[in-house]
Amino acid sequence: MDEMLGAVDVVDPYPLWQSLLEGGPLVSADGAFALLSSHEHCDAVLRSPQFSSDRRNSTRWQAVAAAMSDADRARLERQRSFLFLDPPDHTRLRRLVSKAFTPRTVERLVPLVEDLTAGLLDRAGDPLEVVSQLAYPLPVTVISRMLGVPEEDHVRFAGWSEVLAKSLDDTLSAADAAEIRLRRRAVDDFRAYFTHLCAQRRADPRDDLLTALVEAEDDGDRLSNDELLSTAMLLLIAGHETTVNLIANGTLALLRDERLRDDVAADPACAAGLVEEVLRLDPPVQMTMRIPLEDLDLPGGRVRAGATVVLLLAAAGRDPAQHPDPLRLDVTRTTPHLALSAGPHYCLGAPLARLEGRVALSALAQRLQQPRLGRLEYKENRVLRGPAVLEVMTA
Ligand code: HEM
């Protein structure tokens, strides 16, 4: 089962997801691996306290960790962000930053997101390369401003962020030694970078998230230095390595359908509906995983404590039991999807992702006159899947 997922086609994984959805839940004979693809099953696991997000509970992870030196293991422990923690640590760390991402706070960013989008599109040429000229710079600039990361540093951390975004593919296949070395370097460089920025904020506080985190650390036992660095890295990476795919995948949907372009250009509600449909049909995060804390009966069979349970969010979005006529893109659909997860780890940045998607796709729909697709290449990422290059030619 593991091998089958390791060989996923990044350009079009959907025929495989469809066959897995039709085949129903899968559990390996030894109960060490399971794959769930229906909306109902994925939703239930995401909300269940019997499943952990903490890789330390995974038998597979424990085997990898046992082969490491004590120093390497300790180093990995230090780097854990709250995406990979359970309550109570997860709750404590998430709460420290959640205020910055509420729908109300995010709504105040509308003028910034609109101005940035207009400026990027004004500067873009013909052909427009959507990824490098809009889909990447927009979210990276917004999250950098929220955190207090200087914009000119994007070029410095783009490579580290790319390496760490790719590390989520470990859900599917173990990384090789060279990749692990790259990752270690990326984490060390990122930590050194944020350590330096945090020292600056301590000396010269500003109205940004990094200052808020530094103050929480100084306040006592609410946040350790390792947690501060991991949280800053998580927000910066999650804040753009996902939304870039939403905007690029949304552009592809606009290119396929002239009527959709007209509707989205004319009506902000259609742009918001398109964002939901792109999330459902072509999700930037294709899957996630959970680890059962005890032996449990799943719909496909019994899993053992510590098993790897893969939740195929991209298949759940096409589940006809949840979304009638699932392959039809319908901007008025209201059935909830799981592209932003569910339960305690529900995407913290969901309001921001939706805002950036809506503004970018609406601006694109207004500007693209008789667009034609040029070069299209996909990143080698299976979990955070999306185009690396997406060229659009206009009339
Ligand atoms: C379209 C864009 C995005 C998608 C599809 C997306 C998707 C997701 C998903 C599926 C999860 C949960 C994974 C799990 O349950 O295992 C998640 C968590 C998270 N996302 Fe997003 N995300 C997006 C944008 C953002 C943005 C803009 C931010 C801003 C900082 C962000 C920050 C986070 C954080 C901090 C978590 C961890 C939440 C937790 O563990 O409690 N995301 N996201």
Side-chain angles (χ1 to χ4, degrees), residues 9 36 43 46 102 121 165 194 203 206 211 215 313:
D9 174 9
L36 302 179
D43 188 60
L46 289 170
T102 61
L121 285 175
F194 271 121
R206 298 205 195 146
T211 304
E215 285 170 354
L313 308 177

Side-chain angles (χ1 to χ4, degrees), residues 46 53 55 82-85 90 94 97 101 139 143 234-236 238-240 242-246 279 283-285 287-290 313 338-342 344-350 352-354 356:
L46 289 170
S53 287
R55 304 300 190 256
F82 66 82
L83 175 62
F84 299 121
L85 288 174
H90 169 259
R94 181 172 165 126
V97 288
F101 295 96
I143 192 67
L234 170 66
L235 294 178
L236 186 59
H240 74 282
T242 47
T243 314
V244 58
N245 299 337
L246 168 64
L279 286 170
V285 181
M287 69 195 77
T288 186
M289 71 162 296
R290 290 292 187 270
L313 308 177
L338 298 174
L340 299 161
S341 192
H345 289 274
Y346 179 74
C347 175
L348 179 74
L352 180 59
R354 287 184 160 123
E356 291 170 346

